[in-house]
Amino acid sequence: MNFLDHLLWGILPYISIVLLIGGTIWRYKYDQFGWTTRSSQVYESKILRIASPLFHYGLVGVLGGHIIGLVIPWSWTDAVGISNEMYHLFAIIAGLPFGIAVIVGLAVMIFRRRTNATVFRATTTNDKIMYIFLMGAIVLGVASTVISAFKGHHGHNYRGDISPWFRSLFTFQPDVGLMSNVPMEFKAHIVVAFLLFALWPFTRLVHAFTAPFHYLFRPYIVYRSRGNEGRGARAPRRGWEPMATAAKLSDKSAEEQRRGLHLHRMKK
């Protein structure tokens, strides 16, 4: 092992996570108005209506596959009767379609941004850099899976080295030596993914950390008709009239009548 190995597999992951967490906290504290997807749906929606679900639903499946493959130890799947061949077959059958959906969805969204002049003008340099790393991480991940699948029994079993190395990061004792025999396509995928995580808080991807849970608990918005009671004999003026419910207008009219009666009695 050399310094580059220690840098990539023992230092880079922690730098990436620190930037991810620290940058997200900083962004939330000082740039809440910028915490948005900067959606371009108002400029074009037909293509986006197809590409966005492909990308987002596919991404959910890809993330689920990564969690299962990296977090769950090999011994656990063996204990429940899932052989290594069965596991990899399931990963290809279930995971590859999700990966293809993500690539197609993202490619269509990039094509839309590049070919639609209005959408392209709303695309910042920050967005372009983000798309490069996002597409790079996804393409390299799918390519690693396909290359390993075509090799059959000779394909790389990432659960024997990448997964234990990934879990060792959580104990702050990264086993850098496990990454020495990992194929280059897997290494490239991991490095680009960590660089993407480091950039994440400073791009539009930060919206992934915002879930509208408060919608479940906010009160209902009640709409009532303006009604005609209590408006008096005055003809409505042209333009905007003050919004109020019929009950409030009736109460206001009754209060004005009481005040008028009181003033009349005082004059007597």
Side-chain angles (χ1 to χ4, degrees):
M1 293 184 295
N2 52 33
F3 174 75
L4 183 60
D5 290 328
H6 286 284
L7 176 63
L8 294 179
W9 319 122
I11 300 175
L12 177 63
Y14 294 110
I15 294 176
S16 175
I17 297 303
V18 168
L19 288 174
L20 176 64
I21 297 174
T24 302
I25 295 173
W26 175 86
R27 183 84 180 270
Y28 183 79
K29 187 174 181 180
Y30 295 104
D31 188 30
Q32 289 195 22
F33 286 106
W35 192 293
T36 172
T37 61
R38 295 197 300 275
S39 175
S40 59
Q41 186 175 4
V42 67
Y43 306 129
E44 194 283 331
S45 61
K46 291 183 180 180
I47 298 177
L48 188 64
R49 197 178 298 126
I50 299 173
S52 182
L54 267 177
F55 172 75
H56 287 92
Y57 287 123
L59 190 61
V60 171
V62 169
L63 291 176
H66 278 70
I67 292 173
I68 295 173
L70 295 176
V71 176
I72 298 179
W74 189 350
S75 58
W76 291 17
T77 55
D78 283 343
V80 296
I82 300 177
S83 65
N84 191 44
E85 292 75 13
M86 186 185 304
Y87 172 86
H88 284 288
L89 180 62
F90 175 78
I92 294 172
I93 295 175
L96 196 57
F98 285 116
I100 294 174
V102 173
I103 291 178
V104 172
L106 185 57
V108 173
M109 287 194 291
I110 294 175
F111 172 81
R112 167 182 171 270
R113 282 194 172 272
R114 190 63 188 87
T115 57
N116 188 296
T118 308
V119 178
F120 186 70
R121 283 195 295 268
T123 304
T124 65
T125 303
N126 192 306
D127 294 331
K128 297 174 184 178
I129 296 173
M130 179 270 294
Y131 278 123
I132 291 174
F133 280 91
L134 183 59
M135 180 62 85
I138 296 170
V139 169
L140 286 170
V142 173
S144 301
T145 302
V146 172
I147 292 173
S148 182
F150 273 111
K151 290 181 179 179
H153 294 289
H154 300 286
H156 185 71
N157 184 10
Y158 59 86
R159 293 201 298 165
D161 43 30
I162 298 178
S163 296
W165 163 78
F166 180 78
R167 292 192 296 271
S168 72
L169 296 175
F170 294 96
T171 62
F172 298 100
Q173 295 179 340
D175 194 345
V176 178
L178 289 172
M179 298 295 294
S180 58
N181 295 322
V182 173
M184 186 57 64
E185 60 269 17
F186 282 96
K187 289 182 177 180
H189 169 60
I190 295 170
V191 170
V192 174
F194 275 118
L195 293 177
L196 176 64
F197 291 147
L199 291 171
W200 195 292
F202 312 104
T203 67
R204 67 173 58 201
L205 294 176
V206 75
H207 77 275
F209 297 129
T210 303
F213 292 123
H214 63 283
Y215 285 179
L216 302 175
F217 308 103
R218 69 176 183 176
Y220 291 105
I221 300 176
V222 181
Y223 294 91
R224 299 185 179 94
S225 62
R226 297 173 65 176
N228 296 317
E229 300 84 7
R231 289 187 177 276
R234 179 181 66 82
R237 293 178 299 173
R238 183 177 181 181
W240 291 101
E241 286 289 316
M243 296 293 292
T245 63
K248 288 184 178 180
L249 289 170
S250 298
D251 293 343
K252 183 178 180 181
S253 178
E255 180 65 24
E256 289 175 352
Q257 291 177 4
R258 285 195 296 270
R259 289 180 180 177
L261 180 61
H262 178 68
L263 291 174
H264 178 69
R265 288 176 178 174
M266 289 180 63
K267 289 179 179 180
K268 287 184 176 180

